[in-house]
């Protein structure tokens, strides 16, 4: 068995340690859904935060923290940022600019310290979980401490996900 910590996870751990945050790493292996990941990390699906990479322009990105049961409300996010257009980079570009594969992205240890926008529901969440740089691994921590450490701008920027 290989006990060497993968480089992306090492970057996340180093950034978390530098932040002074109290956190717990939860390793659970690959899962098939957000609900499975939330259960494995001991949080409800709305407390598992998705870190979305959003492009404002050429080489101009930001992170948006979205509760697991919600999706970005593009008109509100554009209004908040004062822009007419936003997009999400494809998986390869997201990996290139963050250093993480989709599904593992986190603001901690990313290649760039971009601004963070967090949905307004997150401060009331208590304990939340974010990606930790690898598939099947997350970090569980206090939502308010997370937002302070990231200097996140908190705003109502999500809608409930559409029912299947």
């Amino acid at each position: 068995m290989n006990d060497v910590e993968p480089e992306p996870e090492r970057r996340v751990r180093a950034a978390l340690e530098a932040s002074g945050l109290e956190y717990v790493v939860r390793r659970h292996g690959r899962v098939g859904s957000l609900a499975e990941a939330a259960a494995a990390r001991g949080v409800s699906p709305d407390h598992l935060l998705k870190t979305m990479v959003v492009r404002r322009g050429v080489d101009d990105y930001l992170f948006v923290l979205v509760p697991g049961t919600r999706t970005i409300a593009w008109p509100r996010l554009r209004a908040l940022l004062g822009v007419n257009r936003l997009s999400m980079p494809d998986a390869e570009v997201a990996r290139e600019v963050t250093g993480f594969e989709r599904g593992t992205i986190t603001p901690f240890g990313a290649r760039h310290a971009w601004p963070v926008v967090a949905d307004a529901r997150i401060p009331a969440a208590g304990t939340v979980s974010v990606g930790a740089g690898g598939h099947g691994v997350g970090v569980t921590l206090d939502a308010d401490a997370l937002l302070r450490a990231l200097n996140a701008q908190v705003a109502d920027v999500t809608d409930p996900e559409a029912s299947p």
Side-chain angles (χ1 to χ4, degrees), residues 12-158:
V12 172
R13 184 179 42 78
L16 283 163
E17 288 175 5
S19 76
L21 287 168
E22 292 183 26
Y23 63 94
V24 174
V25 175
R26 305 258 188 220
R27 292 185 179 281
H28 51 76
R30 287 192 181 256
V31 292
S33 69
L34 183 129
E36 286 179 31
R41 295 181 193 180
V43 298
S44 63
D46 58 327
H47 289 196
L48 193 146
L49 305 182
K50 302 177 283 192
T51 302
M52 312 301 284
V53 179
V54 175
R55 179 185 354 229
R56 285 189 281 203
V58 176
D59 294 326
D60 183 13
Y61 298 88
L62 65 134
F63 292 114
V64 181
L65 297 180
V66 178
T69 57
R70 301 185 68 83
T71 187
I72 293 175
W74 292 103
R76 290 199 303 276
L77 184 58
R78 285 193 303 270
L80 175 73
L81 299 173
V83 299
N84 292 324
R85 291 190 56 170
L86 292 170
S87 63
M88 291 185 61
D90 66 29
E92 183 56 30
V93 171
R95 186 192 58 73
E96 223 173 81
V97 299
T98 65
F100 302 116
E101 292 181 32
R102 276 227 179 115
T104 72
I105 295 173
T106 176
F108 294 104
R111 289 191 173 139
H112 303 279
W114 295 320
V116 176
V117 173
D119 184 64
R121 287 143 197 87
I122 296 172
T127 300
V128 295
S129 184
V130 296
H135 290 286
V137 59
V139 176
T140 305
L141 65 173
D142 178 75
D144 289 331
L146 166 72
L147 299 178
R148 279 192 305 274
L150 296 172
N151 195 28
Q153 180 178 6
V154 177
D156 181 11
V157 294
T158 69

